[in-house]
Amino acid sequence: MNFNKDQSLAIRHFSGPCMILAGPGSGKTTVIANRIRNLTEEYKVPPEKILVITFTRAAAEEMKERYRVLTGGEQGVAFGTFHALFFKIIRYAYRYDSSNILTEDERTRFIRDAAQKAGAENTIDGDLILALSNEIGRIKNSGGDLKKIKSRSVITDKSKFEEIYTEFERTLRAEKKLDFDDMMLLCLRLFKEHPEVLKYWQELYEYILIDEFQDISPLQYELIKLLSESKKNIFVVGDDDQSIYAFRGASPEMMFDFEKDYKKVPGYERITLGVNYRCSPEIVECSSRLIAHNKKRFKKELKSGRGGLLKGLFKTDTVIYRDFQDVAKEFSYAVNMIENLIARGIDPSEIAVLYRVNTQPGLLVSKLKERNIKFVIRDTVSNIYDHWVAKNIFAYMELAAINGNTDGGVGNQLSVSVSGTWRDLFLQIANRPTRYIRRESLRRADLSFETLYRENADKAYVRERLDKLKYDLAMLSKLPPKAAVNYIRKAVGYDGFLKKYAEERLLDADGLFDILNELDASAAEFSTYADWKKHIEEYTEALRRRSSEKKEKETGVGLLTFHSAKGMEFDTVFVIDASEDYTPYWQAATSAEIEEERRMFYVALTRAKNRLFVLHADDRFGKKREPSRFLKEARLL
């Protein structure tokens, strides 16, 4: 096999610390596999003395298979993830077993319970749980000391987060459970308190190789430094320009720390793999212009290892930027182009649509489904119809079917298909907006307008609000879907409630209003609520079916977040919603956060081999969006 000069240097490295800066498509997996073979065959290192660490089980299996093919079945080298390694170490020392490992369902339940005990809102949705989970993980990956580590949580105030964190930890200990981050904290304590244990593992693994080093957390780095301290034969491969996991504690700073820690150690080398064999020259050039705007990075001269520009479908254009009036036109263009590409012989699995957050592709999913284009959702797409905001809107509309006039509109359309009892529906919206209805009243088994009027006979302000609600439900029963949604938002006052709700809880108000705006746009497609509801049910079933099927057996156009696309490549990539507030994401405030957002966009661009479409819409469901600043930096705009 032929290697370029820098690949050969990396493969031949023998002893001492070495950092490989591996740009996109530069053959890093090939380099690691061949370097292992070189250690065992050329330098006669016993395979059992070599440890190869990856971040996912799939990556570990791929690396193991690459090495097996190269060596004709050579065994003995240890391939595994950080978590597998650290659990192995603490299992030997503390006699833990798999029953002690916290499952995802348990983690969700423990966090939900902790949040409710800390006085969080009863409606704790999946996004809130995920945000809390990520923040807990980030804290632990930075050492686990709340007094030393500043919480970055935007879902609640600092004291509330501390309550949730403390209660979550108490539950873990009471249930004798460990999450993955606990394994590392326990392992660190073990190494520091029992040097003889550390020495055993140091002597077992004399050569350590780490893939995707830019994703390492401070805690993981501290453990790896201890493991490799005796021989310092540590070989790390990564790209600081692709460090995109700050939410779980990763930082490109670790790569700078590595050079600072090992630069003076005999045998230290830093080698840059700067030839991109994946992307066309145009894609390499525009992505390089973009990432050059980051200040905290290793400077690299990257070039394409491929020939001239692609010819054929789009002549010589391999990077195409398009601006649209609204998101419906943007997504229609994407679907039309996907259909065109497939008709011209491009395998659907070689096409991907990338986006910053998993709430973005809802309308796109509907359009793909309408055209019968097979698609694969690589991570969970957030179903807006399952969000509590959407459920509040539906509760109003379905209450209208029960309480309102049924001579037309929503009431007539729903008269045979109302979901949920009157009481269940009413509980969802009773004080949204505030109607001063007491919790004690809402707990009644015989809850009704009559009981509420009776209990509030001496409270004119409550009775007035009940009168207004009855009037609103009567009006809603006469309206088609889009008009009904707008009536709930404006006349009922749901927009005002949502704004106040977000302010009080430090939530993302824009994100919540995006749900309303998308509901508004979806409702406009249907003349009756029955038709809209049928569409919602079919859409929800399509998402459920795709999430339950085995991903490895699915084929079709890939729908992925920037995060999930990392490490993958496609013939053609569509980057949608290249707009401010999405990329960079609205939460990014500091220069470090903006730099990470730029790295994410860089990762998205460099997934494309032959064609890259970058799309922006000026209007997204009624809200104006400016083109992303990254477009100018990449000279796409």
Side-chain angles (χ1 to χ4, degrees), residues 53-57 81-82 211-213 215-216 220 248:
I53 303 175
T54 65
F55 278 82
T56 67
R57 188 180 302 171
T81 63
F82 276 106
D211 189 20
E212 302 286 6
F213 188 69
D215 296 335
I216 201 166
Q220 289 166 334
R248 65 185 188 202

Side-chain angles (χ1 to χ4, degrees), residues 477-544:
S477 71
K478 305 174 190 296
L479 298 174
K482 181 174 171 59
V485 173
N486 283 323
Y487 188 94
I488 294 165
R489 295 183 64 175
K490 307 302 180 185
V492 174
Y494 192 82
D495 275 9
F497 154 75
L498 204 60
K499 183 179 179 182
K500 184 179 179 182
Y501 179 95
E503 287 173 353
E504 289 176 349
R505 292 160 179 80
L506 300 178
L507 286 168
D508 168 20
D510 283 351
L512 296 177
F513 277 98
D514 278 349
I515 301 291
L516 281 176
N517 293 334
E518 196 158 343
L519 282 173
D520 203 332
S522 176
E525 301 287 321
F526 304 92
S527 57
T528 70
Y529 187 84
D531 289 342
W532 189 28
K533 190 172 184 182
K534 182 181 178 183
H535 162 77
I536 291 168
E537 289 169 350
E538 290 174 350
Y539 175 85
T540 300
E541 174 59 20
L543 288 186
R544 186 204 63 75

Side-chain angles (χ1 to χ4, degrees), residues 182-208:
D182 289 326
M183 295 178 196
M184 293 185 288
L185 289 167
L186 266 177
C187 197
L188 182 61
R189 190 175 75 190
L190 177 67
F191 284 169
K192 289 185 173 181
E193 293 178 357
H194 299 278
E196 73 282 1
V197 174
L198 174 59
K199 185 179 179 183
Y200 169 84
W201 293 100
Q202 287 174 337
E203 290 177 352
L204 181 61
Y205 298 127
E206 293 184 1
Y207 289 82
I208 298 175

Side-chain angles (χ1 to χ4, degrees), residues 191-400:
F191 284 169
K192 289 185 173 181
E193 293 178 357
H194 299 278
E196 73 282 1
V197 174
L198 174 59
K199 185 179 179 183
Y200 169 84
W201 293 100
Q202 287 174 337
E203 290 177 352
L204 181 61
Y205 298 127
E206 293 184 1
Y207 289 82
I208 298 175
L209 297 87
I210 304 174
D211 189 20
E212 302 286 6
F213 188 69
Q214 76 280 347
D215 296 335
I216 201 166
S217 71
L219 180 56
Q220 289 166 334
Y221 183 48
E222 188 172 0
L223 282 160
I224 288 301
K225 278 199 298 182
L226 287 170
L227 267 181
S228 60
E229 191 173 40
S230 175
K231 303 290 185 181
K232 292 187 172 56
N233 291 327
I234 179 169
F235 183 93
V236 303
V237 182
D239 182 6
D240 55 309
D241 289 334
Q242 296 185 71
S243 178
I244 61 172
Y245 293 111
F247 67 85
R248 65 185 188 202
S251 168
E253 292 288 336
M254 296 299 100
M255 298 193 75
F256 292 96
D257 286 348
F258 183 89
E259 181 152 271
K260 182 178 65 178
D261 293 338
Y262 292 105
K263 192 172 185 178
K264 295 180 181 179
V265 174
Y268 175 76
E269 288 187 271
R270 190 226 292 177
I271 301 166
T272 300
L273 305 181
V275 181
N276 183 331
Y277 295 99
R278 174 194 302 153
C279 306
S280 75
E282 274 191 322
I283 295 170
V284 173
E285 287 166 14
C286 81
S287 59
S288 294
R289 287 193 294 264
L290 168 76
I291 203 63
H293 284 76
N294 271 8
K295 293 182 171 58
K296 188 69 173 177
R297 64 186 289 265
F298 289 104
K299 298 292 187 292
K300 310 173 193 72
E301 293 296 326
L302 303 178
K303 61 181 181 180
S304 175
R306 293 189 19 192
L309 299 179
L310 184 75
K311 294 180 181 179
L313 181 59
F314 301 107
K315 298 180 182 178
T316 59
D317 292 331
T318 66
V319 180
I320 297 171
Y321 168 69
R322 291 286 185 270
D323 193 336
F324 300 90
Q325 180 182 349
D326 58 50
V327 73
K329 290 183 173 62
E330 175 191 0
F331 287 176
S332 291
Y333 173 84
V335 173
N336 288 338
M337 294 309 303
I338 289 169
E339 207 167 42
N340 192 354
L341 287 162
I342 294 171
R344 290 174 180 252
I346 302 297
D347 191 309
S349 64
E350 279 293 321
I351 302 170
V353 180
L354 309 185
Y355 36 86
R356 173 62 179 84
V357 291
N358 65 1
T359 56
Q360 289 171 254
L363 180 59
L364 182 71
V365 167
S366 296
K367 289 185 177 294
L368 289 169
K369 190 171 172 292
E370 286 169 11
R371 302 282 188 92
N372 290 316
I373 297 173
K374 288 192 71 176
F375 58 92
V376 181
I377 302 170
R378 295 296 179 189
D379 26 15
T380 303
V381 168
S382 181
N383 185 355
I384 65 160
Y385 304 121
D386 279 342
H387 196 282
W388 61 266
V389 169
K391 288 181 176 180
N392 285 174
I393 298 298
F394 298 148
Y396 269 110
M397 297 175 81
E398 297 193 352
L399 277 171

